[in-house]
Amino acid sequence: MMNVSTEIISHLTQLIKLSSITPDDAGCQQYIADQLTKSGYTYIDVSKNAVTNTLFFKDKNKPLLLFVGHTDVVPPGPLELWNCDPFTLTINDDTLYGRGVADMKGSVSVMIKILQQFNDSDKNIALLLTSDEEGDAIDGVRFAISSLLTQGFTIELAIVGEPTASLSSGDTIKIGRRGSINSTIIVKGKPGHVAYPDLTINPIILSVKPLQALCEIVFDLPCESFDLTQLQCTSVYAGNKGLRNVIPATATIEFNIRFSPAYTEVQIKEIISRHLQPFQDILTTSWTRASLPYLTTNKKAISLISSAVKSVTKKDPILSTSGGTSDGRFLSHELIPVIELGPPNATIHKPNEQILLRDLESLYTCYYQIVQAYFPDCTKVP
Protein backbone atom coordinates (compact mmCIF):
# COMPACT_ATOMS: atom_id res chain seq x y z
CA MET A 1 0.00 0.00 0.00
CA MET A 2 2.90 2.36 0.69
CA ASN A 3 3.85 2.58 -3.00
CA VAL A 4 0.18 3.06 -3.95
CA SER A 5 -0.20 5.84 -1.37
CA THR A 6 2.92 7.59 -2.65
CA GLU A 7 1.62 7.55 -6.22
CA ILE A 8 -1.85 8.76 -5.21
CA ILE A 9 -0.33 11.62 -3.21
CA SER A 10 1.88 12.49 -6.18
CA HIS A 11 -1.18 12.80 -8.42
CA LEU A 12 -3.06 14.77 -5.78
CA THR A 13 -0.14 17.16 -5.31
CA GLN A 14 -0.16 18.04 -9.00
CA LEU A 15 -3.94 18.42 -9.19
CA ILE A 16 -4.28 20.60 -6.09
CA LYS A 17 -1.75 23.15 -7.34
CA LEU A 18 -3.85 23.66 -10.48
CA SER A 19 -6.48 26.18 -9.33
CA SER A 20 -9.31 24.74 -11.41
CA ILE A 21 -12.23 26.87 -10.26
CA THR A 22 -15.40 26.05 -12.20
CA PRO A 23 -15.44 25.82 -15.19
CA ASP A 24 -11.69 26.28 -15.67
CA ASP A 25 -9.95 22.91 -15.77
CA ALA A 26 -6.59 24.72 -15.45
CA GLY A 27 -4.70 21.84 -17.07
CA CYS A 28 -5.85 19.08 -14.71
CA GLN A 29 -7.16 16.79 -17.43
CA GLN A 30 -4.09 17.34 -19.57
CA TYR A 31 -1.94 16.22 -16.62
CA ILE A 32 -4.11 13.12 -16.28
CA ALA A 33 -3.87 12.48 -20.03
CA ASP A 34 -0.09 12.61 -19.77
CA GLN A 35 -0.19 10.00 -17.00
CA LEU A 36 -2.71 7.60 -18.52
CA THR A 37 -1.42 7.60 -22.08
CA LYS A 38 1.83 6.26 -20.63
CA SER A 39 -0.24 3.36 -19.33
CA GLY A 40 -1.76 2.62 -22.72
CA TYR A 41 -5.06 4.45 -22.43
CA THR A 42 -6.68 6.36 -25.25
CA TYR A 43 -8.64 9.53 -24.62
CA ILE A 44 -11.16 11.59 -26.49
CA ASP A 45 -12.12 15.20 -25.92
CA VAL A 46 -15.86 15.77 -25.48
CA SER A 47 -15.56 19.36 -24.30
CA LYS A 48 -18.14 22.04 -24.95
CA ASN A 49 -17.87 25.81 -24.72
CA ALA A 50 -15.66 26.66 -21.71
CA VAL A 51 -16.06 23.23 -20.11
CA THR A 52 -13.40 20.52 -20.42
CA ASN A 53 -14.63 16.91 -20.63
CA THR A 54 -12.39 13.92 -21.29
CA LEU A 55 -12.98 10.16 -21.53
CA PHE A 56 -10.06 7.78 -20.92
CA PHE A 57 -10.59 4.22 -22.13
CA LYS A 58 -8.99 1.15 -23.70
CA ASP A 59 -11.60 -0.57 -25.86
CA LYS A 60 -14.58 1.27 -27.30
CA ASN A 61 -16.13 -1.96 -28.55
CA LYS A 62 -16.63 -3.54 -25.12
CA PRO A 63 -18.99 -2.41 -22.33
CA LEU A 64 -17.31 -0.09 -19.84
CA LEU A 65 -17.11 -0.02 -16.09
CA LEU A 66 -16.98 3.77 -15.88
CA PHE A 67 -15.47 5.86 -13.12
CA VAL A 68 -16.76 9.45 -13.13
CA GLY A 69 -15.14 12.49 -11.53
CA HIS A 70 -14.75 16.23 -11.77
CA THR A 71 -11.62 18.33 -11.77
CA ASP A 72 -13.27 21.66 -10.95
CA VAL A 73 -13.45 23.04 -7.41
CA VAL A 74 -15.31 25.81 -5.65
CA PRO A 75 -13.39 29.03 -4.81
CA PRO A 76 -11.32 28.88 -1.62
CA GLY A 77 -13.17 31.76 0.02
CA PRO A 78 -11.39 34.10 2.46
CA LEU A 79 -7.74 33.07 2.52
CA GLU A 80 -7.33 34.26 6.11
CA LEU A 81 -9.57 31.38 7.20
CA TRP A 82 -7.11 28.85 5.80
CA ASN A 83 -4.17 27.53 7.80
CA CYS A 84 -2.32 26.80 4.56
CA ASP A 85 -2.26 27.71 0.88
CA PRO A 86 -5.47 26.15 -0.50
CA PHE A 87 -3.72 25.40 -3.80
CA THR A 88 -0.73 23.63 -2.31
CA LEU A 89 -1.20 20.14 -0.92
CA THR A 90 -0.24 20.34 2.75
CA ILE A 91 0.34 17.19 4.78
CA ASN A 92 0.24 17.33 8.57
CA ASP A 93 0.76 13.92 10.14
CA ASP A 94 -1.74 11.78 8.21
CA THR A 95 -4.10 14.61 7.21
CA LEU A 96 -4.04 16.19 3.75
CA TYR A 97 -5.24 19.78 3.25
CA GLY A 98 -6.14 21.74 0.12
CA ARG A 99 -9.07 22.88 -1.98
CA GLY A 100 -10.47 19.77 -3.61
CA VAL A 101 -8.74 17.08 -1.56
CA ALA A 102 -12.18 15.68 -0.66
CA ASP A 103 -14.34 17.16 -3.43
CA MET A 104 -13.06 15.57 -5.48
CA LYS A 105 -9.44 15.57 -6.55
CA GLY A 106 -8.72 12.95 -3.90
CA SER A 107 -11.13 10.52 -5.55
CA VAL A 108 -9.81 11.45 -9.00
CA SER A 109 -6.24 10.71 -7.88
CA VAL A 110 -7.39 7.30 -6.66
CA MET A 111 -9.16 6.68 -9.98
CA ILE A 112 -5.98 7.52 -11.90
CA LYS A 113 -4.09 4.92 -9.89
CA ILE A 114 -6.84 2.34 -10.39
CA LEU A 115 -6.63 2.73 -14.16
CA GLN A 116 -2.84 2.51 -13.99
CA GLN A 117 -3.07 -0.58 -11.81
CA PHE A 118 -5.23 -2.44 -14.32
CA ASN A 119 -3.63 -1.18 -17.51
CA ASP A 120 -2.26 -4.63 -18.46
CA SER A 121 -5.45 -6.56 -17.67
CA ASP A 122 -8.55 -7.44 -19.66
CA LYS A 123 -10.70 -5.34 -17.35
CA ASN A 124 -12.31 -2.68 -19.53
CA ILE A 125 -12.45 0.25 -17.13
CA ALA A 126 -12.69 3.88 -18.14
CA LEU A 127 -12.67 7.34 -16.59
CA LEU A 128 -14.86 10.31 -17.51
CA LEU A 129 -13.89 13.74 -16.17
CA THR A 130 -15.55 17.14 -16.36
CA SER A 131 -14.73 20.66 -15.19
CA ASP A 132 -18.38 21.68 -14.71
CA GLU A 133 -19.79 19.74 -11.75
CA GLU A 134 -19.72 22.58 -9.26
CA GLY A 135 -21.30 25.04 -11.71
CA ASP A 136 -24.29 24.94 -14.02
CA ALA A 137 -23.52 21.34 -15.06
CA ILE A 138 -24.99 21.94 -18.50
CA ASP A 139 -21.94 21.37 -20.69
CA GLY A 140 -20.29 18.80 -18.43
CA VAL A 141 -21.33 15.18 -17.87
CA ARG A 142 -24.84 16.01 -19.07
CA PHE A 143 -23.45 16.80 -22.52
CA ALA A 144 -20.51 14.38 -22.48
CA ILE A 145 -22.47 11.23 -21.67
CA SER A 146 -25.03 11.92 -24.37
CA SER A 147 -22.23 12.49 -26.87
CA LEU A 148 -20.41 9.29 -25.89
CA LEU A 149 -23.52 7.14 -26.19
CA THR A 150 -24.18 8.64 -29.62
CA GLN A 151 -20.63 7.67 -30.59
CA GLY A 152 -21.35 4.03 -29.74
CA PHE A 153 -19.93 3.60 -26.25
CA THR A 154 -21.77 1.20 -23.95
CA ILE A 155 -21.65 1.78 -20.19
CA GLU A 156 -22.84 -1.01 -17.92
CA LEU A 157 -22.12 0.61 -14.54
CA ALA A 158 -20.91 4.02 -13.40
CA ILE A 159 -19.12 4.81 -10.14
CA VAL A 160 -19.09 8.49 -9.20
CA GLY A 161 -16.40 9.56 -6.75
CA GLU A 162 -18.37 12.23 -4.89
CA PRO A 163 -17.60 12.51 -1.15
CA THR A 164 -20.37 10.30 0.23
CA ALA A 165 -18.99 9.09 3.56
CA SER A 166 -19.88 10.38 7.01
CA LEU A 167 -16.94 9.23 9.11
CA SER A 168 -14.75 7.05 6.90
CA SER A 169 -14.58 5.98 3.27
CA GLY A 170 -17.07 3.23 2.53
CA ASP A 171 -19.44 3.80 5.44
CA THR A 172 -22.05 5.29 3.06
CA ILE A 173 -22.76 4.96 -0.64
CA LYS A 174 -25.32 6.97 -2.57
CA ILE A 175 -27.83 5.08 -4.67
CA GLY A 176 -29.75 8.21 -5.62
CA ARG A 177 -30.27 11.89 -4.96
CA ARG A 178 -33.21 14.21 -4.45
CA GLY A 179 -33.90 16.76 -7.15
CA SER A 180 -33.38 20.49 -6.69
CA ILE A 181 -35.12 23.55 -8.03
CA ASN A 182 -34.68 27.24 -7.18
CA SER A 183 -37.20 30.05 -7.41
CA THR A 184 -37.16 33.81 -7.04
CA ILE A 185 -40.15 35.93 -6.06
CA ILE A 186 -40.16 39.67 -6.70
CA VAL A 187 -42.63 41.57 -4.52
CA LYS A 188 -43.58 44.90 -6.08
CA GLY A 189 -44.05 48.07 -4.05
CA LYS A 190 -43.94 51.81 -4.61
CA PRO A 191 -40.70 53.55 -3.62
CA GLY A 192 -40.40 56.84 -1.86
CA HIS A 193 -39.21 58.76 1.18
CA VAL A 194 -39.79 57.09 4.55
CA ALA A 195 -41.16 60.37 5.89
CA TYR A 196 -44.13 60.11 3.53
CA PRO A 197 -45.29 56.49 3.87
CA ASP A 198 -48.80 57.39 2.65
CA LEU A 199 -47.24 58.06 -0.77
CA THR A 200 -45.44 54.71 -0.88
CA ILE A 201 -46.12 50.97 -0.72
CA ASN A 202 -43.49 49.09 1.25
CA PRO A 203 -42.67 45.79 -0.51
CA ILE A 204 -40.81 44.48 2.52
CA ILE A 205 -43.99 44.56 4.56
CA LEU A 206 -45.95 43.10 1.64
CA SER A 207 -43.51 40.19 1.40
CA VAL A 208 -44.27 38.93 4.93
CA LYS A 209 -47.51 37.11 4.03
CA PRO A 210 -46.26 35.33 0.88
CA LEU A 211 -43.12 34.37 2.78
CA GLN A 212 -45.25 32.92 5.56
CA ALA A 213 -47.36 31.07 3.00
CA LEU A 214 -44.23 29.47 1.55
CA CYS A 215 -42.93 28.41 4.94
CA GLU A 216 -46.24 26.74 5.81
CA ILE A 217 -46.20 24.42 2.78
CA VAL A 218 -45.81 20.76 3.69
CA PHE A 219 -44.80 18.23 1.05
CA ASP A 220 -45.92 15.07 2.80
CA LEU A 221 -46.01 12.47 0.02
CA PRO A 222 -43.53 9.76 1.06
CA CYS A 223 -41.12 8.01 -1.29
CA GLU A 224 -39.23 4.88 -0.36
CA SER A 225 -35.47 5.45 0.09
CA PHE A 226 -35.88 9.26 0.12
CA ASP A 227 -36.32 11.95 2.75
CA LEU A 228 -39.47 14.03 2.42
CA THR A 229 -39.50 16.90 -0.06
CA GLN A 230 -38.60 20.17 1.68
CA LEU A 231 -38.74 23.88 0.91
CA GLN A 232 -36.15 26.19 2.44
CA CYS A 233 -36.05 29.98 2.06
CA THR A 234 -32.47 30.99 1.37
CA SER A 235 -32.62 34.78 1.07
CA VAL A 236 -34.91 37.76 1.68
CA TYR A 237 -33.63 41.18 0.64
CA ALA A 238 -34.44 44.59 -0.80
CA GLY A 239 -32.27 46.84 -2.92
CA ASN A 240 -31.74 49.75 -0.54
CA LYS A 241 -28.94 48.54 1.68
CA GLY A 242 -27.55 51.49 3.61
CA LEU A 243 -30.33 53.88 2.51
CA ARG A 244 -32.39 54.16 5.68
CA ASN A 245 -34.57 56.99 4.45
CA VAL A 246 -35.83 55.27 1.27
CA ILE A 247 -38.60 52.72 0.90
CA PRO A 248 -37.48 50.33 -1.88
CA ALA A 249 -39.34 49.50 -5.06
CA THR A 250 -39.11 45.73 -4.65
CA ALA A 251 -38.32 42.99 -2.18
CA THR A 252 -36.95 39.60 -3.20
CA ILE A 253 -37.56 36.16 -1.75
CA GLU A 254 -35.38 33.25 -2.87
CA PHE A 255 -36.01 29.63 -1.99
CA ASN A 256 -34.92 26.10 -2.86
CA ILE A 257 -36.88 22.85 -2.95
CA ARG A 258 -35.20 19.47 -2.60
CA PHE A 259 -37.68 16.94 -3.90
CA SER A 260 -38.07 13.19 -4.07
CA PRO A 261 -39.56 11.26 -7.01
CA ALA A 262 -42.91 11.49 -5.21
CA TYR A 263 -43.29 14.89 -6.89
CA THR A 264 -42.66 16.11 -10.40
CA GLU A 265 -41.33 19.54 -11.28
CA VAL A 266 -44.76 20.46 -12.67
CA GLN A 267 -46.53 19.38 -9.46
CA ILE A 268 -44.16 21.44 -7.32
CA LYS A 269 -44.74 24.56 -9.38
CA GLU A 270 -48.49 24.03 -9.21
CA ILE A 271 -48.40 23.70 -5.41
CA ILE A 272 -46.33 26.86 -5.04
CA SER A 273 -48.58 28.75 -7.45
CA ARG A 274 -51.66 27.71 -5.51
CA HIS A 275 -50.28 28.94 -2.19
CA LEU A 276 -49.17 32.23 -3.73
CA GLN A 277 -52.41 32.81 -5.62
CA PRO A 278 -53.79 35.36 -3.07
CA PHE A 279 -50.74 37.55 -3.70
CA GLN A 280 -50.46 37.32 -7.49
CA ASP A 281 -51.24 41.01 -7.97
CA ILE A 282 -48.15 42.07 -6.03
CA LEU A 283 -45.51 39.56 -7.11
CA THR A 284 -43.87 37.68 -9.97
CA THR A 285 -42.28 34.24 -9.71
CA SER A 286 -39.42 32.80 -11.77
CA TRP A 287 -37.80 29.36 -11.73
CA THR A 288 -34.41 27.90 -12.61
CA ARG A 289 -33.88 24.66 -14.51
CA ALA A 290 -34.64 21.77 -12.17
CA SER A 291 -32.09 19.08 -11.31
CA LEU A 292 -34.23 15.96 -11.38
CA PRO A 293 -33.99 13.20 -8.76
CA TYR A 294 -32.68 9.75 -9.53
CA LEU A 295 -32.65 6.34 -7.88
CA THR A 296 -30.58 3.29 -8.83
CA THR A 297 -32.71 0.16 -8.44
CA ASN A 298 -30.31 -2.32 -10.06
CA LYS A 299 -30.00 -4.84 -7.22
CA LYS A 300 -27.08 -6.66 -8.82
CA ALA A 301 -24.99 -3.50 -9.03
CA ILE A 302 -25.87 -2.41 -5.50
CA SER A 303 -25.10 -5.86 -4.10
CA LEU A 304 -21.78 -6.15 -5.94
CA ILE A 305 -20.52 -2.79 -4.75
CA SER A 306 -21.86 -3.19 -1.21
CA SER A 307 -20.14 -6.57 -0.91
CA ALA A 308 -16.87 -5.20 -2.27
CA VAL A 309 -16.97 -2.30 0.17
CA LYS A 310 -17.81 -4.60 3.08
CA SER A 311 -14.81 -6.78 2.24
CA VAL A 312 -12.67 -3.70 2.96
CA THR A 313 -14.49 -1.99 5.83
CA LYS A 314 -15.98 -5.14 7.43
CA LYS A 315 -19.33 -3.36 7.67
CA ASP A 316 -22.36 -3.07 5.41
CA PRO A 317 -22.40 0.42 3.88
CA ILE A 318 -25.43 2.63 4.44
CA LEU A 319 -27.44 3.08 1.25
CA SER A 320 -28.36 6.76 1.08
CA THR A 321 -30.06 9.32 -1.16
CA SER A 322 -29.26 12.34 1.02
CA GLY A 323 -27.09 15.34 0.24
CA GLY A 324 -26.90 17.70 -2.69
CA THR A 325 -27.13 17.03 -6.40
CA SER A 326 -24.42 15.28 -8.39
CA ASP A 327 -23.54 14.27 -11.93
CA GLY A 328 -24.98 10.86 -11.14
CA ARG A 329 -28.39 12.08 -12.31
CA PHE A 330 -27.20 12.53 -15.89
CA LEU A 331 -25.96 8.95 -16.04
CA SER A 332 -29.08 7.56 -14.40
CA HIS A 333 -31.33 9.42 -16.80
CA GLU A 334 -29.55 7.55 -19.62
CA LEU A 335 -30.58 4.30 -17.85
CA ILE A 336 -27.05 3.62 -16.61
CA PRO A 337 -26.87 2.13 -13.08
CA VAL A 338 -25.05 4.64 -10.86
CA ILE A 339 -23.38 4.25 -7.49
CA GLU A 340 -21.63 7.13 -5.72
CA LEU A 341 -18.71 6.16 -3.49
CA GLY A 342 -16.15 8.54 -2.10
CA PRO A 343 -14.41 9.90 1.01
CA PRO A 344 -15.93 11.77 4.01
CA ASN A 345 -17.74 15.00 3.18
CA ALA A 346 -17.51 16.90 6.47
CA THR A 347 -15.11 19.60 5.21
CA ILE A 348 -16.09 19.99 1.55
CA HIS A 349 -16.51 23.59 0.32
CA LYS A 350 -15.11 24.81 3.66
CA PRO A 351 -11.81 26.51 4.57
CA ASN A 352 -9.13 23.96 5.44
CA GLU A 353 -10.78 21.21 3.40
CA GLN A 354 -9.09 17.99 4.44
CA ILE A 355 -8.94 14.23 4.11
CA LEU A 356 -7.15 11.51 6.04
CA LEU A 357 -4.59 9.46 4.16
CA ARG A 358 -6.23 6.29 5.42
CA ASP A 359 -9.49 7.35 3.76
CA LEU A 360 -7.73 7.66 0.39
CA GLU A 361 -6.10 4.28 0.93
CA SER A 362 -9.42 2.70 1.91
CA LEU A 363 -11.13 4.25 -1.11
CA TYR A 364 -8.44 2.81 -3.37
CA THR A 365 -8.94 -0.65 -1.88
CA CYS A 366 -12.72 -0.37 -2.29
CA TYR A 367 -12.37 0.59 -5.95
CA TYR A 368 -9.83 -2.21 -6.48
CA GLN A 369 -12.19 -4.80 -5.00
CA ILE A 370 -15.08 -3.49 -7.11
CA VAL A 371 -13.06 -3.88 -10.32
CA GLN A 372 -12.00 -7.40 -9.35
CA ALA A 373 -15.57 -8.38 -8.48
CA TYR A 374 -17.03 -6.83 -11.63
CA PHE A 375 -14.63 -8.68 -13.97
CA PRO A 376 -14.12 -12.03 -12.17
CA ASP A 377 -13.25 -13.96 -15.35
CA CYS A 378 -10.73 -11.52 -16.78
CA THR A 379 -7.01 -12.07 -16.71
CA LYS A 380 -5.57 -10.89 -13.43
CA VAL A 381 -2.91 -8.22 -13.25
CA PRO A 382 0.54 -9.86 -13.25
Side-chain angles (χ1 to χ4, degrees):
M1 178 61 71
M2 181 59 67
N3 183 51
V4 169
S5 298
T6 300
E7 292 181 48
I8 292 172
I9 290 175
S10 176
H11 294 319
L12 187 54
T13 298
Q14 296 302 315
L15 293 177
I16 292 297
K17 73 178 183 180
L18 299 171
S19 53
S20 51
I21 298 172
T22 312
D24 183 9
D25 176 67
C28 290
Q29 292 177 43
Q30 183 57 58
Y31 165 78
I32 296 167
D34 293 341
Q35 301 304 306
L36 291 181
T37 51
K38 296 176 184 176
S39 298
Y41 286 88
T42 300
Y43 69 92
I44 58 174
D45 185 336
V46 280
S47 301
K48 184 179 180 182
N49 296 327
V51 175
T52 305
N53 305 310
T54 310
L55 175 73
F56 301 90
F57 66 101
K58 287 191 295 184
D59 190 343
K60 177 181 178 179
N61 298 314
K62 294 181 180 179
L64 302 177
L65 170 61
L66 181 68
F67 287 90
V68 181
H70 64 86
T71 51
D72 59 317
V73 298
V74 298
L79 296 181
E80 62 270 19
L81 298 181
W82 285 78
N83 296 328
C84 59
D85 179 353
F87 294 111
T88 299
L89 183 67
T90 300
I91 304 176
N92 186 358
D93 294 329
D94 290 328
T95 304
L96 287 63
Y97 297 86
R99 176 54 85 224
V101 289
D103 189 14
M104 60 175 292
K105 291 181 176 180
S107 296
V108 170
S109 297
V110 172
M111 292 171 176
I112 297 169
K113 181 55 190 171
I114 285 291
L115 265 67
Q116 292 174 323
Q117 188 73 31
F118 289 102
N119 69 318
D120 292 329
S121 76
D122 297 327
K123 298 171 171 55
N124 199 33
I125 56 178
L127 172 60
L128 175 62
L129 297 172
T130 183
S131 67
D132 187 34
E133 195 278 337
E134 301 289 4
D136 294 334
I138 294 174
D139 296 330
V141 169
R142 177 175 179 266
F143 166 77
I145 200 66
S146 176
S147 175
L148 293 171
L149 294 176
T150 300
Q151 294 178 50
F153 286 91
T154 301
I155 301 163
E156 288 191 334
L157 176 63
I159 300 170
V160 180
E162 286 295 335
T164 58
S166 296
L167 299 176
S168 58
S169 293
D171 66 14
T172 304
I173 62 177
K174 304 288 186 183
I175 58 172
R177 299 273 189 163
R178 288 185 297 175
S180 175
I181 185 169
N182 295 296
S183 182
T184 300
I185 295 173
I186 305 295
V187 181
K188 296 169 287 187
K190 184 178 180 181
H193 198 291
V194 295
Y196 304 99
D198 54 318
L199 301 178
T200 67
I201 300 175
N202 194 321
I204 298 174
I205 296 174
L206 291 180
S207 70
V208 172
K209 288 186 177 181
L211 177 60
Q212 183 178 10
L214 288 174
C215 294
E216 290 176 350
I217 297 174
V218 176
F219 297 93
D220 55 4
L221 289 181
C223 185
E224 186 178 357
S225 302
F226 285 87
D227 292 337
L228 289 176
T229 296
Q230 293 183 340
L231 182 152
Q232 292 292 333
C233 288
T234 56
S235 183
V236 180
Y237 60 92
N240 280 357
K241 184 177 180 180
L243 297 177
R244 300 183 181 181
N245 61 349
V246 177
I247 291 174
T250 61
T252 301
I253 301 170
E254 295 178 338
F255 61 94
N256 172 269
I257 299 174
R258 296 297 165 118
F259 61 102
S260 76
Y263 294 91
T264 66
E265 179 183 356
V266 171
Q267 288 172 323
I268 288 172
K269 291 180 178 180
E270 288 176 347
I271 291 170
I272 298 299
S273 178
R274 187 167 64 249
H275 281 77
L276 294 178
Q277 183 61 40
F279 318 106
Q280 286 304 309
D281 59 334
I282 64 167
L283 58 79
T284 58
T285 305
S286 61
W287 298 86
T288 62
R289 179 197 301 267
S291 299
L292 299 180
Y294 84 88
L295 178 66
T296 294
T297 58
N298 187 306
K299 294 182 179 179
K300 182 179 179 181
I302 294 172
S303 176
L304 182 146
I305 291 182
S306 295
S307 297
V309 170
K310 185 177 181 180
S311 72
V312 177
T313 65
K314 310 308 178 187
K315 295 180 180 179
D316 290 313
I318 296 170
L319 305 182
S320 172
T321 60
S322 65
T325 60
S326 79
D327 281 339
R329 65 189 187 273
F330 303 122
L331 300 151
S332 180
H333 297 162
E334 295 287 356
L335 304 182
I336 299 168
V338 182
I339 300 293
E340 300 183 36
L341 171 61
N345 54 29
T347 64
I348 62 174
H349 293 203
K350 295 180 179 179
N352 301 309
E353 182 179 347
Q354 59 195 262
I355 188 173
L356 295 174
L357 177 59
R358 66 171 177 265
D359 280 314
L360 281 182
E361 294 173 341
S362 179
L363 185 62
Y364 169 82
T365 309
C366 287
Y367 286 172
Y368 187 96
Q369 293 299 326
I370 290 169
V371 173
Q372 292 283 48
Y374 194 81
F375 298 104
D377 299 325
C378 290
T379 303
K380 293 185 178 180
V381 177

